[in-house]
């Protein structure tokens, strides 16, 4: 009996003193726990490798976090000096009168002036002095071979050629296929009002556009009940 008690103590001692026992505390955080805002001085991003919030390396004057909260990014008006992902990004303010280039790595002046609120170039579509929109303009920083369009770098406004129209980002001109395929005689990519259905789709003739009407959504159906001889 005594021998077996001694044996049990020996086993217990062996288990306690040879097991490499440690207590790990895992702080459970989600992206919504990460601090944001002027008061915190630096923003925090959510580091998915640690499942924890980590501070950005520079304060909120220079850096903020990406829309998904998973990395730090330079604010508008800053340019990237280095970017290895996560917090490993370094930003530097652009010189007075310039803004962040479209790829984030340079600073550019703006032909159409700087919007002081967004700290970005005014859209080229507001180019006309009389305040009317020039919807055929795009903002261009570089020409096709990659050279800056101007030196020192400046985002300039270019007007799209006939039969082309700006893409949604206002950075390139593309052929307006939909309009030209139904109205081949046009050159200006503007669908006449009477040929336009709600939503902007262009039709060949105003007669092709169906008027909005309650009857459009009425579906006739008939319901037949058959007498069936059930077999089971
Ligand atoms: C943020 O950092 C910049 C550059 O290090 C510094 O000049 C500025 O004073 C800092 N701003 C605040 C609010 O700490
Ligand atoms: C790119 O094109 C511009 C204008 O045509 C030219 O001045 C410049 O030398 C070109 N760059 C290279 C690397 O060929």
């Amino acid at each position: 009996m005594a021998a077996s008690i001694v044996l049990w103590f020996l086993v217990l001692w062996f288990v306690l003193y040879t097991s490499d026992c440690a207590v790990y505390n895992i702080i459970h955080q989600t992206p919504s726990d990460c601090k944001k805002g002027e008061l915190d001085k630096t923003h925090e991003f959510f580091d998915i490798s640690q499942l924890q919030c980590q501070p950005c390396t520079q304060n909120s004057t220079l850096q903020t976090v990406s829309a998904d909260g998973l990395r730090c990014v330079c604010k508008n008006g800053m340019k990237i000096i280095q970017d290895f992902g996560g917090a490993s990004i370094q930003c530097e303010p652009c010189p007075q009168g310039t803004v962040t280039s479209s790829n984030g790595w340079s600073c550019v002046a703006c032909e159409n002036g700087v919007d002081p609120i967004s700290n970005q170039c005014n859209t080229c579509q507001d180019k006309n002095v009389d305040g009317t929109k020039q919807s055929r303009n795009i903002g261009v920083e570089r020409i096709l071979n990659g050279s800056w369009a101007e030196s020192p770098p400046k985002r300039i406004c270019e007007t799209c050629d006939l039969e082309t129209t700006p893409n949604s980002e206002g950075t390139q001109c593309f052929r307006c296929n939909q309009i030209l395929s139904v109205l081949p005689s046009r050159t200006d990519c503007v669908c006449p009002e009477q040929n336009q259905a709600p939503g902007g789709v262009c039709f060949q003739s105003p007669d092709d556009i169906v008027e909005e009407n309650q009857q459009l959504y009425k579906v006739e159906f008939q319901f037949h009940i058959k007498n069936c001889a059930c077999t089971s």
Side-chain angles (χ1 to χ4, degrees):
M1 182 64 187
S4 77
I5 289 171
V6 167
L7 189 66
W8 269 113
F9 271 106
L10 276 175
V11 169
L12 196 62
W13 178 87
F14 186 79
V15 168
L16 281 178
Y17 286 88
T18 58
S19 68
D20 190 9
C21 185
V23 177
Y24 292 97
N25 280 321
I26 296 175
I27 307 163
H28 177 70
Q29 285 187 311
T30 67
S32 59
D33 296 320
C34 300
K35 291 178 186 164
K36 293 181 182 69
E38 301 304 313
L39 292 177
D40 305 307
K41 301 293 184 211
T42 56
H43 289 288
E44 288 181 338
F45 75 103
F46 188 73
D47 183 349
I48 47 170
S49 67
Q50 314 259 337
L51 299 180
Q52 273 179 36
C53 298
Q54 302 281 354
C56 290
T57 49
Q58 290 173 304
N59 67 32
S60 56
T61 312
L62 288 94
Q63 292 187 354
T64 181
V65 286
S66 56
D68 59 12
L70 300 182
R71 59 200 180 89
C72 302
V73 294
C74 298
K75 280 189 147 176
N76 282 340
M78 308 292 147
K79 69 171 180 178
I80 307 166
I81 304 297
Q82 72 167 41
D83 185 4
F84 297 125
S88 301
I89 181 168
Q90 292 290 321
C91 315
E92 188 181 277
C94 282
Q96 187 73 29
T98 63
V99 303
T100 316
S101 66
S102 55
N103 66 13
W105 288 86
S106 309
C107 299
V108 294
C110 304
E111 180 185 315
N112 211 20
V114 178
D115 178 345
I117 294 161
S118 68
N119 221 347
Q120 289 174 309
C121 289
N122 286 319
T123 160
C124 283
Q125 301 198 342
D126 301 328
K127 192 186 184 184
N128 294 355
V129 264
D130 61 358
T132 55
K133 291 233 166 187
Q134 173 51 273
S135 58
R136 283 174 53 207
N137 282 344
I138 57 166
V140 176
E141 291 177 5
R142 292 177 185 272
I143 57 172
L144 280 178
N145 70 2
S147 299
W148 289 108
E150 294 232 339
S151 179
K154 184 188 217 177
R155 190 175 308 167
I156 56 169
C157 298
E158 293 276 354
T159 303
C160 288
D161 209 344
L162 292 177
E163 300 190 347
T164 71
T165 192
N167 61 354
S168 57
E169 296 84 32
T171 53
Q172 270 184 289
C173 300
F174 284 97
R175 187 179 188 270
C176 47
N177 292 339
Q178 200 265 320
I179 293 169
L180 296 176
S181 60
V182 293
L183 302 170
S185 60
R186 292 200 78 84
T187 54
D188 64 358
C189 284
V190 177
C191 183
E193 194 94 0
Q194 72 268 20
N195 295 54
Q196 247 181 73
V201 180
C202 200
F203 284 85
Q204 208 163 32
S205 143
D207 304 338
D208 297 339
I209 302 171
V210 183
E211 288 288 319
E212 172 72 354
N213 176 350
Q214 279 300 311
Q215 294 297 313
L216 275 180
Y217 309 106
K218 198 171 171 186
V219 180
E220 298 271 352
F221 82 101
Q222 288 180 335
F223 194 68
H224 294 287
I225 297 174
K226 280 189 185 169
N227 284 324
C228 69
C230 299
T231 50
S232 60

